[in-house]
Amino acid sequence: MSEVAIVGFGCSGFKPITPELSYKELMFETAVKAYEDAGINPRKDVDVFITCAEDYLEGFSIFDEFVPDQLGAVLRHLFTVSGDGMLGLATAYMLIRTGHFDTIVLEAHSKASDILTYIDIVAFGLDPVYNRPLGGHPYYIAGMEMNRYLHDTCTTTEQCAQVVVKNKRNGILNPYAAYGANVTLDQVLCSETCFYPLKKLEISTPADGCIVMVLASEKIAESLSDKPIWVKGVGWCTETPSLETREWTKAVYTRMAAEMAYKQAKINNPWMEIDFAEIHDQFAYKELQHMEALKLCDYGEAGKLLEDGLTNLNGEFPVNPSGGLLGMGYGLEASGTQKLLEVVLQLRGEAGRRQIPNAEVGLAHTWRGIPTATGVVAVLSNVKR
Amino acid sequence: MSIEKITNPFDARHWIGHMEADYMYTLGVVGERFFKELKENGRIMGTRCPNCSIVYVPPRMYCERCFAKLEEWIDVGKKGTIHTFTIATIEKDGKKLEKPVIYALIKFEGAHGGMIHKIGETDTVCIGMKVEAVLKSPEERKASINDIAYFRPTK
Ligand SMILES: [Zn+2]
């Protein structure tokens, strides 16, 4: 079976608003960068185009009909995955592994600033009969989950707040990040408790942006890129949608996705064999909960590792060197590709002032946000082996 | 790219759209029975899996663990324990709520799962607290999850 590599990317950067561009123009400008990076012509060199988008977030029904033209994919072979960009990566990976496809374009974006009632759309993700009639801001679910996570693991509110300090600080070093900042632990802890124990500054703010990636089979990857980044394994998993019966302490969906990816990538000890990770941190506590689910440490230990500085940019195992979603901005269905992008940049040695020296293996993880329990994990390396 | 820096998206030329999407969610066999019991008899019912020996609340027609069809109904009572909770201080539009709302997952004894609902008649709440459902009067009940007004600490 063919190995799979990421051979090019384009990124618009993430910003609070992009009023100057329509979503189509945002995608077009990003796609042009990706095709230039990979040195391909979309009109003849691409076997399959995959876009990742959720209708409600785009303000369309059947949004997949509205994406071919701005990618150079009219009358070409395109489909949309209704989910996070990393579910698109999993699909691209499988297609290339079949041996029938050599070049695949993957796209995901967020035009969050166009959505006038984002939280209403999130609330629409709740069960219509058992949950939705209660009303309220749906992030109460994050507050409830954080509360149970802290209760069962003895993780502290200070440790959760420290995630924000670290990630926003990393974001300052990332030109693609919308919300990099120097915030203090006190500022986070003193920000409003919106959903006890969850604080306002622990909630990532949506941002606009687009990422396009070009994936290629082993056969042509090295001819398209000097620095192909190999996808060593991808895994995904979905827990029950039932809030009443799902697990509230451990992110089981991420554990199962990680086990699937690690098996393919032949990873036995993730902390030792992987150099850094990009982990879904829409809410600060989720970085810690996900670290544990990713087997980077035992349950309840992530907060301590963070507190001891091990997951800092210069630590033993940097987590979210990009600034995470807290620093970059929450890119909705592009979250997974935000994670993937940072892993690619680090492994190419193009992460600038936040470059992790000698990084060889990186992990990208995503989650589909409240109220979902879907996770995707990928292990990537700049060494083919 | 842009001529002048726009700081308010509404300053850019735009078109406001509205997505009409009304929907009727059919309850099905199990939902029909659950809400009929709640409305008419004031009972909270679950369905039991014979293979896994677990009782699903809210009830469902199939077991999510072994995929068996579930047909045995059990009254799980109105008393439960707070598995987790939060205190919401803002509304969906980001405005501060006049009075914070306590949301909790209440698990019923002997049941797998429980109910997400509001907690009332108290300002203090903790994980593990025993609570009971406060039902609206039979005339007010409409076969909705809001036939339960809220849960309150057991006396
Ligand atoms: Zn069963």
Side-chain angles (χ1 to χ4, degrees), chain B residues 49-54 56 63-68 70:
Chain B
C49 175
N51 302 331
C52 304
S53 297
I54 55 177
Y56 284 94
C63 176
E64 65 186 31
R65 296 192 178 177
C66 74
F67 216 52
L70 311 185

Side-chain angles (χ1 to χ4, degrees), chain A residues 15 17 19-21 29 55-61 113 116 119-121 123-124 128-149 151-152 192-198 239-246 248-249, chain B residues 1-10 12-13 16-17 19 21 25-27 30-31 34-35 56-60 64-65 82-94 96 103-105 107 112-118 127-128 144-146 148:
Chain A
K15 303 179 188 91
I17 55 171
E20 66 280 9
L21 295 173
E29 291 195 347
D55 283 2
Y56 261 81
L57 296 174
E58 306 296 337
F60 284 79
S61 48
S113 68
L116 300 183
I119 294 300
D120 288 286
I121 294 172
F124 235 62
V129 179
Y130 290 99
N131 303 143
R132 243 188 261 165
L134 287 177
H137 193 307
Y139 285 4
Y140 75 76
I141 294 157
M144 282 170 56
E145 190 186 48
M146 179 178 174
N147 199 10
R148 185 73 203 191
Y149 171 69
H151 177 267
D152 286 352
E192 190 186 349
T193 308
C194 298
F195 309 96
Y196 172 86
L198 185 65
E239 237 262 68
T240 176
S242 160
L243 297 175
E244 294 85 357
T245 57
R246 72 166 54 154
W248 282 78
T249 307
Chain B
M1 180 165 61
S2 64
I3 309 139
E4 286 168 46
K5 185 83 182 158
I6 301 166
T7 51
N8 176 0
F10 288 96
R13 198 170 297 280
I16 298 280
M19 291 198 287
Y25 297 94
T26 314
L27 295 189
V30 168
F34 176 81
F35 284 106
Y56 284 94
V57 183
R60 61 194 68 176
E64 65 186 31
R65 296 192 178 177
I82 292 182
H83 184 72
T84 186
F85 72 93
T86 189
I87 305 162
T89 59
I90 59 169
E91 240 306 333
K92 263 198 295 196
D93 56 9
K96 209 167 170 70
Y103 293 93
L105 169 58
K107 294 227 173 189
H112 175 58
M115 204 166 274
I116 308 271
H117 223 292
K118 295 171 187 172
I127 289 173
S144 143
I145 204 73
N146 288 324
I148 299 169

Side-chain angles (χ1 to χ4, degrees), chain A residues 268-284:
Chain A
N268 297 310
N269 185 337
W271 182 271
M272 298 306 293
E273 296 167 54
I274 299 172
D275 299 313
F276 67 96
E278 277 286 321
I279 297 175
H280 203 286
D281 59 330
Q282 183 190 1
F283 306 99

